[in-house]
Amino acid sequence: MKITEVYSASGGFLKADDITKPTTATIESVEMVTKDYNDGKGPKSQLVLHFVGKEKVLGLNFTNANKIVELTGKDDTDEWIGVTIKLFVEKVKVGTEMKPSIRIWPELPEQVTPEPVEPTHTGKVIAYEDESSDIPF
C-alpha cells in the first residue's frame, strides 16, 4: 500500500488540505478510537469528532481537545454534542518543520439549534484498521 493512499485528502479523516477557509461544523458525536501504529508503544486512543452532515471526521489532538473544553467549559465529551465550532488551518512546528494543522477557532461561532438528528455513530471504542476511503468531507 502506498502512503499517499493512506494519508490522502480523500481519506476518512479530515486533513488540513480539506480546509481552504475557516469552516463551521456542528458536533454530531464523539467517539474514542484505538489504533496500534506499530511504533512499539502499543495502542493509542484518540477522540474523533463526527459532524452533522459531514462524512469526514476530525481526530483530535490534545491541543484541539483542550480548546473545545476551554470554549464550552465542559470536559465531558457527551456535552459537546450539538456545539458548533469553527475550524481553520495554522502552520505549527513539527520537529524542525512548519506544517499545516487543523485548529479550533479561539471563539465559538454563533450557535444554531439544528433539527434533531439521530446519531449515525455508536460512540463505541473501535480500532481502525483501514483509514482510507473515497468519501469527501
Side-chain angles (χ1 to χ4, degrees):
M1 178 181 302
K2 294 184 178 188
I3 289 178
T4 54
E5 292 172 1
V6 176
Y7 297 104
S8 71
S10 64
F13 279 84
L14 194 56
K15 307 283 190 260
D17 290 346
D18 295 323
I19 308 292
T20 57
K21 62 181 181 177
T23 304
T24 59
T26 301
I27 300 170
E28 176 183 59
S29 64
V30 183
E31 70 178 312
M32 184 172 60
V33 298
T34 302
K35 181 172 178 158
D36 190 337
Y37 292 94
N38 297 319
D39 59 1
K41 297 179 181 178
K44 294 181 180 126
S45 296
Q46 178 181 30
L47 293 174
V48 175
L49 297 182
H50 295 265
F51 298 109
V52 174
K54 306 294 184 187
E55 296 199 26
K56 286 195 176 183
V57 298
L58 177 62
L60 290 181
N61 58 24
F62 188 74
T63 300
N64 284 341
N66 275 326
K67 179 54 75 176
I68 295 173
V69 169
E70 176 188 319
L71 293 172
T72 63
K74 303 180 186 320
D75 67 353
D76 183 344
T77 61
D78 290 342
E79 296 185 53
W80 297 355
I81 296 169
V83 173
T84 300
I85 60 174
K86 190 179 231 181
L87 307 174
F88 71 103
V89 175
E90 176 178 65
K91 288 198 174 188
V92 298
K93 191 168 186 172
V94 179
T96 60
E97 296 180 58
M98 295 298 285
K99 295 192 174 195
S101 180
I102 297 173
R103 292 290 188 228
I104 310 295
W105 198 263
E107 300 171 349
L108 287 177
E110 182 177 336
Q111 300 296 297
V112 293
T113 306
E115 294 294 319
V117 176
E118 188 67 30
T120 57
H121 307 286
T122 63
K124 294 179 182 175
V125 175
I126 58 173
Y128 280 113
E129 295 299 323
D130 180 8
E131 297 173 357
S132 64
S133 75
D134 293 318
I135 303 170
F137 178 67

